[in-house]
Amino acid sequence: EDKVVQSPLSLVVHEGDTVTLNCSYEVTNFRSLLWYKQEKKAPTFLFMLTSSGIEKKSGRLSSILDKKELFSILNITATQTGDSAVYLCAVGKGDSWGKLQFGAGTQVVVTP
Amino acid sequence: DAGITQSPRHKVTETGTPVTLRCHQTENHRYMYWYRQDPGHGLRLIHYSYGVKDTDKGEVSDGYSVSRSKTEDFLLTLESATSSQTSVYFCAISESTNGGIQYFGAGTRLSVL
């Protein structure tokens, strides 16, 4: 059975801290891993990763994939209160009509 | 929200009544999906569509049906709503040319009393 597991489930940090979120997966026919941010509304796309070891960056957010150890991390540096959200990891398979399997998400709270 | 409109945005209904949720897109994307989101479960796929009149079940399809008669519209029907179907429902769209990135609608909050 395919699995996508995110850790931790939740965390609270202070503004300015660095946050590292984990996503591990066990799926057959892996194609891609995606990260989304959800702030009490629709999930919004952050990154899509398909190759190991290539970091993707957008401002203070970055992500990398390890296809050998089957995990990805999402880093947020110099956190701000606007980073408070649920971060969702999803895995796409090569034979699945574009379907994604999501993890349960990590709730991040950034306090002033 | 990437040209995706869900309606209604909120609905309260009674157990046993039929409910239809609508997803409308203006992006002409081929693939459309319905998810439900519950605490501790992330997003779970209910049904998906890979073209007009082409649909298939996801992991939590029991009690739900879908229809897609036009590219732009994907309907989710609860034939006889139950309290366990109280949830937030999201529609998403995707096009194979973008590598499978899905874009989400704003969601429908459904309460079944």
Side-chain angles (χ1 to χ4, degrees), chain A residues 97, chain B residues 29-32 48-56 67-71 73-74:
Chain A
W97 297 110
Chain B
H29 280 11
R30 177 183 176 188
Y31 302 103
M32 298 185 75
Y48 65 100
S49 170
Y50 45 96
V52 174
K53 292 187 172 31
D54 292 323
T55 66
D56 205 348
S67 65
R68 191 169 179 200
S69 57
K70 298 186 285 186
T71 298
D73 289 325
F74 193 31

Side-chain angles (χ1 to χ4, degrees), chain B residues 62-84:
Chain B
D62 286 349
Y64 302 95
S65 62
V66 291
S67 65
R68 191 169 179 200
S69 57
K70 298 186 285 186
T71 298
E72 57 266 35
D73 289 325
F74 193 31
L75 304 180
L76 177 71
T77 297
L78 291 65
E79 301 289 348
S80 177
T82 67
S83 58
S84 64

Side-chain angles (χ1 to χ4, degrees), chain A residues 6 9 31-32 34 36 38 40-45 47-48 50 86 88 96-105, chain B residues 1 30-31 33 35 37 40-43 45 48 50 57-59 90 94 98-107:
Chain A
Q6 293 187 243
L9 289 182
R31 179 190 64 188
S32 58
L34 294 83
Y36 286 84
Q38 187 176 22
K40 295 192 184 301
K41 49 183 182 174
T44 54
F45 171 73
F47 299 111
M48 184 171 72
T50 56
V86 174
L88 297 165
S96 63
W97 297 110
K99 293 185 291 182
L100 298 176
Q101 180 162 349
F102 282 83
Chain B
D1 293 333
R30 177 183 176 188
Y31 302 103
Y33 310 85
Y35 292 90
Q37 187 172 38
H41 288 279
L43 289 158
L45 183 65
Y48 65 100
Y50 45 96
K57 297 177 181 179
E59 62 178 300
F90 286 100
S94 176
N98 70 6
I101 300 169
Q102 292 185 12
Y103 298 97
F104 287 81

